[in-house]
Amino acid sequence: MKAGERFTVALIGASGLLGRAVAAELARAESAQTWRVVRTARNRVDAQSAKLDLLDHEAVRGFLRELAPDAIVVAAAERRPDICENDPSLARALNVDALRVIAEEARTLGAWVLSISTDYVFDGASPPYYPDDAPAPLNAYGRSKLEGERTLLAADPASCVLRLPLLYGPFTDWNESAVTSLTPAIVASANSANPRASMDAWATRYPTFTPDVAVVIRGMLEHHARGATISGIAQWSGDEPMTKFDIARRIARVLKVDAKLVAQITPTDSTPRPRDCHLDSGRLEALGIGRRTPFDQAIAGLLSNYPDVSSQ
């Protein structure tokens, strides 16, 4: 970058759960007039974003060539494990093929790519997991994300993959996150006419707040803008282990619902899921990058924004 030029970031998938948080965080960098952030969305397009379908490869190429960004953050993906298991071709199209197109264009343009991946690239048998540990995904979602990682890094070793665990944050509907999706059943259980809410007490998760991840991503972009590019594999995770049963009981306390109405079960999902994929965040922590909001504080803040929660 030349003196006086703005650092241009393409945020792909700005309308999703994580994308919105990243867009909000990067808006603060834009306000300093030193950054330019161009947001894209596929369906929920607004005045602040451009419509872009990642399945339209020519449109993706045209968008990137016209913008010529310094950095590209890829927050768009097919992230629903059951959908991926039932339609692996769709998972591959979004999580691998689209990323290949972005990576190829980025290499030509000299742009740094930061792509979001998942803890599901591991089998959950031997946590914690470090960036250089051997992946062993159990399901189609994890396999597609692992292939996407390898595709990106093969195209340009200077690019970066950021692995993340279970995300939650400001939402537009309950089902945007596997954390907030538990809420309707918890509320329903408060009605004596409804059975107890049954929640998975087998798999350990590490819920991670999207505004915290947005701070991490901004920190990584700032490193790149200063010429200290972070490449290869990086990881970030919340540090509070809990099952869905634990999460549900915490949500119940926030909603003043009797936690005894939440029952624990061992799941029988058709899609295999890992038991504990705790990601080590040491690489980013050593660089002074990161923020963690306590889960109880974050979930209370989220649910306080929805005063009609008891009617859901």
Side-chain angles (χ1 to χ4, degrees), residues 19-297:
R20 294 194 306 273
V22 176
E25 181 63 32
L26 297 189
R28 287 183 268 277
E30 277 190 294
S31 66
Q33 301 299 312
T34 56
W35 288 35
R36 177 191 179 203
V37 181
V38 178
R39 305 154 183 79
T40 79
R42 182 183 182 185
N43 296 319
R44 290 176 287 190
V45 181
D46 58 24
Q48 284 74 49
S49 60
K51 184 175 179 61
L52 184 65
D53 182 354
L54 291 187
L55 299 180
D56 186 341
H57 294 175
E58 286 308 308
V60 172
R61 293 187 181 99
F63 168 78
L64 293 175
R65 290 172 187 175
E66 181 177 355
L67 181 62
D70 298 290
I72 305 166
V73 177
V74 186
E78 179 49 69
R79 60 176 181 79
R80 296 166 294 180
D82 292 336
I83 297 296
C84 292
E85 205 70 19
N86 294 325
D87 192 351
S89 62
L90 174 62
R92 181 181 176 82
L94 284 170
N95 297 344
V96 182
D97 297 339
L99 191 56
R100 178 180 291 109
V101 172
I102 293 171
E104 291 170 350
E105 288 302 318
R107 181 180 56 196
T108 300
L109 296 168
W112 180 63
V113 180
L114 174 59
S115 179
I116 305 304
S117 190
T118 175
D119 59 346
Y120 272 32
V121 299
F122 297 112
D123 62 11
S126 302
Y129 290 97
Y130 295 83
D132 58 354
D133 284 341
L138 297 180
N139 55 38
Y141 171 57
R143 289 190 292 272
S144 70
K145 293 300 286 183
L146 177 59
E147 189 175 353
E149 290 184 6
R150 291 171 172 169
T151 295
L152 173 63
L153 295 176
D156 184 3
S159 58
C160 187
V161 168
L162 177 61
R163 292 175 180 154
L164 301 171
L166 172 65
L167 297 179
Y168 73 104
F171 56 93
T172 58
D173 67 70
W174 298 117
N175 290 325
E176 273 201 301
S177 165
V179 170
T180 54
S181 69
L182 307 181
T183 306
I186 295 167
V187 173
S189 71
N191 185 331
S192 60
N194 288 285
R196 298 170 73 191
S198 297
M199 300 291 172
D200 169 20
W202 177 78
T204 298
R205 313 297 296 275
Y206 296 81
T208 302
F209 195 40
T210 54
D212 291 345
V213 178
V215 169
V216 169
I217 290 174
R218 178 176 175 178
M220 297 176 75
L221 287 166
E222 288 172 342
H223 267 65
H224 178 67
R226 293 196 302 266
T229 300
I230 302 169
S231 59
I233 304 289
Q235 300 180 157
W236 186 256
S237 175
D239 59 0
E240 298 176 80
M242 59 189 84
T243 64
K244 283 190 176 181
F245 172 71
D246 299 324
I247 294 170
R249 287 171 66 89
R250 290 183 182 216
I251 291 174
R253 286 198 295 269
V254 170
L255 300 178
K256 296 181 171 53
V257 171
D258 186 355
K260 294 180 180 178
L261 294 174
V262 180
Q264 52 184 316
I265 60 168
T266 299
T268 56
D269 296 334
S270 58
T271 301
R273 285 170 166 79
R275 183 157 194 173
D276 186 343
C277 288
H278 187 206
L279 298 173
D280 179 82
S281 306
R283 184 183 183 194
L284 294 178
E285 290 170 336
L287 295 172
I289 294 175
R291 186 185 76 184
R292 291 185 177 94
T293 302
F295 180 82
D296 288 341
Q297 174 186 331

Side-chain angles (χ1 to χ4, degrees), residues 171 174 187 254-255 300-312:
F171 56 93
W174 298 117
V187 173
V254 170
L255 300 178
L302 290 176
L303 297 181
S304 71
N305 293 326
Y306 298 86
D308 61 338
V309 65
S310 62
S311 67
Q312 297 299 315

